[in-house]
Amino acid sequence: QVQLVESGGGLVQPGGSLRLSCAASGFTFSRSVMSWHRQAPGKERESVATISIGGTANYADSVKGRFTISRDNAKNTAYLQMNSLKPDDTAVYSCRAMYYSAISARPYEYWGQGTQVTVSS
């Protein structure tokens, strides 16, 4: 069965740091594009960071220079290092996988359940 399980969220002061983890199982992680998304109360969900199968990273303008996405294929895990956190970063952060099977023309899309990040003094 496919699973994406996020961890590492919590309460942090402005200017602090957190590292989120996304542990994947049930599909070929190394053939998947991984991304992190967030949704704050009353706001639309937005993509914050994406990392390609080859390791190329892209970021939303709001987090450039502060967040770093990475992946460890040996551990089937994606990470989001978040530094210089701001109150506006408060949201539920979710992990997404787009798995490109060798026998399918289109990717499979999987989502984790999300982890809460709260930035407050």
Side-chain angles (χ1 to χ4, degrees), residues 27-109:
F27 64 99
T28 306
F29 180 83
S30 63
R31 291 289 303 169
S32 302
V33 176
M34 303 300 299
S35 58
W36 287 94
H37 307 252
R38 68 186 182 187
Q39 187 167 24
K43 296 184 178 181
E44 297 289 332
R45 185 175 66 189
E46 64 172 335
S47 174
V48 298
T50 301
I51 187 165
S52 73
I53 292 170
T56 301
N58 292 100
Y59 302 93
D61 288 342
S62 59
V63 307
K64 284 182 180 177
R66 300 188 297 119
F67 290 12
T68 303
I69 188 171
S70 61
R71 64 191 299 155
D72 187 338
N73 287 348
K75 296 183 177 180
N76 287 350
T77 302
Y79 304 94
L80 186 67
Q81 178 67 48
M82 304 185 294
N83 299 326
S84 301
L85 284 162
K86 305 173 180 179
D88 283 351
D89 295 320
T90 296
V92 174
Y93 285 72
S94 299
C95 176
R96 185 189 72 174
M98 294 181 64
Y99 166 48
Y100 289 83
S101 171
I103 62 172
S104 178
R106 300 174 181 176
Y108 297 90
E109 185 176 13

